[in-house]
DNA sequence: AAGTGTCACAAAACCGGTTTTGTAAGTCAA
DNA sequence: TTGACTTACAAAACCGGTTTTGTGACACTT
């Protein structure tokens, strides 16, 4: 595996002009102690020979890689996360303007996540990390802080006080969601969430509770269900909640994937999402617009978030204090057609559901 | 932006043991001319000090980066490509096993694509490239071949004879699609494709034509439409084809995004996809399963393709001849529910459509 | 006229590894 | 016993840059 690309080096340029290589370097790095004449000759030679400095050699001396890293957790669900794809796009765009690059690796378990982090740090392949999908008690963040290695988190952990992060105000967003549903006329509002290990899932659940409390609505533990964050999980969650004696007339879902599965369950029972049952998601996935009914969802621009986080990390590398780099954004409700005033009360819904279920016993989940 | 990570160097290890640093290097690289005793002492010190070699320094000498690059075209559509997300996952997994990493950059125009390629090559940040979404006449591939820089393409170009590639047999797949539709009873089969600059789009169109010919069906140019590869494009394409005097009873779409838009158009007109009109996509997007109706589609494993391509690139770097690294795979039809026997003839469909269109004039496209 | 700066560049050190070259000590055959 | 090989390692060169140090030529004071 040899990669002996016989490319032009700084020595070639120096020899071509007849100066020392240090001089060439100084010209290229805009030092002032070079005569105009020499500068021109060197620049011309650089042009002619098509010289570009080797990032590796430069990095070795500078101790910097001009490369940021991101480790993506994969495999604990089905396929890649559409949010992350746009997020990475946003990062790459921001970095491109600064001449930095992004190293992407994946990890399929918690241990592997840390192993990969360690390897990249030890080998000095990156200058800093972007951490996504933070957990309440996140081993990656613990490790990076312990190592004092620069990073920025997209999402917070249980104690977000001492590192840089960018996050959505999940609590407020979900409290707003509850308020929105209440204003539509819903009083029994269900929450379909994900594992509380994930910080955003916990915050969204908390926001849901806060929303209920602010409105003086009773909190009913039965109206909360936590599932795997996937369409399948959404299907099961909707099944759980709608099988209650007093089913919710609206389902606030922690992600679009959950909402999509919930809508599917409704359709399976012949319920119209948007009138018989209201379903709201979160993520603003483009495909939501093409579902039936088009999905009402909270949206943040993943691309924008990526750019923002990348720039924050660069600030950290420039020596800014991480504590001063903490920002909260709000998600926007995109109303499409899966929400609306309830067409029946919880009691009527329960009755309708009982009839359907008797007619048509469930197969448990959509199967292949 | 200083990154003076005071980490352990090979000199520290050498001094700690009392040997020359070359000796340490030889131990770590499994040279045989080291006594068992010395080897043990060095290994112990490495362990104790937690030494890990700097990738940068090693790369400088070796002239190799242990890093592969991928440049993703973005921005000429809406958001990130879900296929690519899984594809990258597949690459990253394969590379992880070999201790290599993946550098991801994005480019938002043709020129930018080449600029980025040039920069990465000149700066020697990567050892080879993976090129995706090949065009019939692809400037990236032309450039890489001219530079003799190692790469593997996912997808072919007009002349795929002299480089390494992995591709789906688009022609056969789409010819099979036509055969499948014919066997269901369809005789007027439409094709909803994308720009012929993209090689896969062209091949799928060609496969469609070949399928018709093999079955002795007439080829009607009106039954082909090319649109932007997006849900919006699919919506417009379906509108175009179904507005014909003799509309197709089945739509073979070049991608899932197109199919999703086409199904939306059908729904808007009150047509049931799967009976009134058959729609088949290509990509096997997971979300297709949760559409109404669940989308019938051709599928290839993006993740598998990523792994395959990564391993091919490593073979190229190891010196294998690119010509010997060319592989064609087949996509599999995943039958869900958007295809079926036609419920009406083309004439009946035309009549039905005319009535709908009079009742309910179109807004042109789905709006916000 | 000698001392002092400045200018513009050369020369060399350095970053942290790998690889080549050199060599003292031990082994073996003649 | 001596020359030829091994063995096991030290020393140095090298990768391609950046940065520090050194220096000759000239201008400018006093």
């Amino acid at each position: 595996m040899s990669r002996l690309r016989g490319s032009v080096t700084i020595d070639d340029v120096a020899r071509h002009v007849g100066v020392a290589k240090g001089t060439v370097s100084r010209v290229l790095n805009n030092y002032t102690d070079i005569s105009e004449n020499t500068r021109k000759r060197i620049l011309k030679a650089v042009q002619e020979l098509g010289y570009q400095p080797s990032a590796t050699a430069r990095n070795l001396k500078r101790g910097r890689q001009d490369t940021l890293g991101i480790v993506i957790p994969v495999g604990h669900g089905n396929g890649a996360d559409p949010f992350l794809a746009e997020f990475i796009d946003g990062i790459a765009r921001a970095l491109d303007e600064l001449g930095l690059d992004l190293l992407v690796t994946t990890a399929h378990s918690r241990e592997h996540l840390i192993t990969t982090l360690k390897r990249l740090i030890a080998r000095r392949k990156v200058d800093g990390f972007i951490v996504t999908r933070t957990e309440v008690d996140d081993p990656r963040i613990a490790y990076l802080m312990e190592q004092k290695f620069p990073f920025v988190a997209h999402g917070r952990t249980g104690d977000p006080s001492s590192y840089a992060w960018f996050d959505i105000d999940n609590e407020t967003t979900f409290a707003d969601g509850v308020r929105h549903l209440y204003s539509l006329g819903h009083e029994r509002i269900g929450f379909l969430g994900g594992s509380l290990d994930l910080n955003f899932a916990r915050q969204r659940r908390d926001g849901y509770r806060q929303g209920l409390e602010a409105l003086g609505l009773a909190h009913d533990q039965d109206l909360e269900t936590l599932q795997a964050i996937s369409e399948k999980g959404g299907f099961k969650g909707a099944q759980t909640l709608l099988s209650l004696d007093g089913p919710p007339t609206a389902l606030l879902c922690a992600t679009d994937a959950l909402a999509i599965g919930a809508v599917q369950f409704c359709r399976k029972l012949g319920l119209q999402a948007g009138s018989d049952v209201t379903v709201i998601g979160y993520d603003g996935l483009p495909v939501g617009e093409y579902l039936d009914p088009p999905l009402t969802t909270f949206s943040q621009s993943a691309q924008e978030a990526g750019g923002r986080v990348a720039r924050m990390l660069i600030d950290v590398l420039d020596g800014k204090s991480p504590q001063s780099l903490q920002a909260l954004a709000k998600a926007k409700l995109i109303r499409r057609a899966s929400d609306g005033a309830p067409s029946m009360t919880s009691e009527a819904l329960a009755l309708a559901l009982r009839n359907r279920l008797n007619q048509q016993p469930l197969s448990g989940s959509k199967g292949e």
Side-chain angles (χ1 to χ4, degrees), chain A:
Chain A
M1 215 202 266
S2 66
R3 195 89 312 89
L4 315 167
R5 303 201 46 67
S7 35
V8 187
T9 73
I10 198 170
D11 276 316
D12 296 330
V13 177
R15 212 170 310 126
H16 191 259
V17 182
V19 295
K21 66 175 182 170
T23 305
V24 177
S25 177
R26 302 173 80 73
V27 166
L28 294 176
N29 290 288
N30 296 314
Y31 279 63
T32 51
D33 62 345
I34 303 286
S35 74
E36 200 47 43
N37 177 21
T38 307
R39 172 185 303 279
K40 271 196 195 127
R41 280 164 54 221
I42 289 177
L43 254 24
K44 180 153 157 277
V46 165
Q47 196 70 21
E48 279 175 18
L49 301 178
Y51 167 72
Q52 285 219 239
S54 148
T56 315
R58 165 182 291 175
N59 294 342
L60 179 57
K61 178 65 183 182
R62 285 203 183 150
R64 187 183 0 134
Q65 315 309 129
D66 290 340
T67 303
L68 270 29
I70 186 170
V71 183
I72 301 177
V74 293
H76 55 274
N78 48 339
D81 187 333
F83 175 87
L84 279 178
E86 291 205 45
F87 187 68
I88 288 177
D89 181 17
I91 298 173
R93 277 173 194 251
L95 295 187
D96 182 62
E97 286 169 19
L98 297 150
L100 303 193
D101 294 296
L102 181 68
L103 200 66
V104 176
T105 44
T106 55
H108 40 264
S109 73
R110 279 173 90 106
E111 297 75 48
H112 190 209
L113 222 44
I114 299 291
T115 314
T116 307
L117 231 43
K118 269 191 187 155
R119 179 172 62 83
L120 257 23
I121 292 177
R123 300 264 160 108
R124 277 140 281 179
K125 288 201 81 158
V126 299
D127 298 325
F129 278 105
I130 290 171
V131 176
T132 63
R133 289 260 176 269
T134 48
E135 298 174 23
V136 177
D137 194 4
D138 201 302
R140 296 167 295 176
I141 291 187
Y143 181 73
L144 290 168
M145 287 186 53
E146 181 199 318
Q147 297 289 313
K148 297 198 197 313
F149 200 83
F151 73 100
V152 170
H154 180 244
R156 287 161 287 173
T157 56
D159 170 17
S161 59
S162 43
Y163 56 91
W165 51 259
F166 175 73
D167 203 358
I168 293 297
D169 187 347
N170 288 301
E171 284 98 334
T172 305
T173 300
F174 270 66
D176 284 353
V178 171
R179 201 188 328 277
H180 170 70
L181 292 170
Y182 183 73
S183 73
L184 286 174
H186 295 273
E187 305 221 327
R188 280 189 77 70
I189 299 171
F191 177 75
L192 215 170
S195 162
L196 297 181
D197 285 344
L198 291 166
N199 202 56
F200 76 86
R202 179 180 291 264
Q203 292 175 329
R204 290 176 196 176
R205 201 259 337 242
D206 292 348
Y208 159 76
R209 290 186 180 177
Q210 288 164 21
L212 291 180
E213 195 174 329
L215 292 167
L217 293 173
H219 170 244
D220 180 347
Q221 184 60 51
D222 287 342
L223 290 182
E224 276 180 15
T225 179
L226 303 184
Q227 302 287 341
I229 296 188
S230 64
E231 287 86 359
K232 203 158 277 184
F235 189 95
K236 275 160 76 174
Q239 180 174 357
T240 304
L241 293 177
L242 294 176
S243 305
L244 293 173
D245 281 341
T249 57
L251 300 177
L252 193 54
C253 305
T255 75
D256 275 354
L258 288 169
I260 290 171
V263 167
Q264 246 245 329
F265 179 80
C266 294
R267 183 161 49 238
K268 186 138 191 167
L269 290 190
L271 295 173
Q272 177 64 32
S275 57
D276 298 339
V277 178
T278 277
V279 177
I280 294 187
Y282 181 110
D283 272 342
L285 294 190
V287 76
E289 197 180 333
Y290 294 91
L291 297 174
D292 179 37
L295 189 65
T296 292
T297 180
F298 284 99
S299 166
Q300 56 174 311
S301 165
Q303 195 181 307
E304 219 173 286
R308 184 83 179 262
V309 167
R311 280 184 292 271
M312 284 172 81
L313 181 47
I314 288 160
D315 282 344
V316 171
L317 294 175
D318 280 343
K320 281 214 186 120
S321 131
Q323 285 86 342
S324 69
L325 294 163
Q326 302 179 331
L328 215 49
K330 284 203 62 173
K332 215 177 76 212
L333 183 65
I334 301 184
R335 288 201 68 188
R336 293 201 275 237
S338 66
D339 65 319
S343 68
M344 18 181 178
T345 62
S346 172
E347 294 75 30
L349 184 58
L351 206 65
L353 281 164
R354 217 156 305 137
N355 292 337
R356 310 278 184 172
L357 286 170
N358 288 342
Q359 277 168 34
Q360 173 197 345
L362 285 169
S363 56
S365 151
K366 241 247 107 219
E368 287 288 63

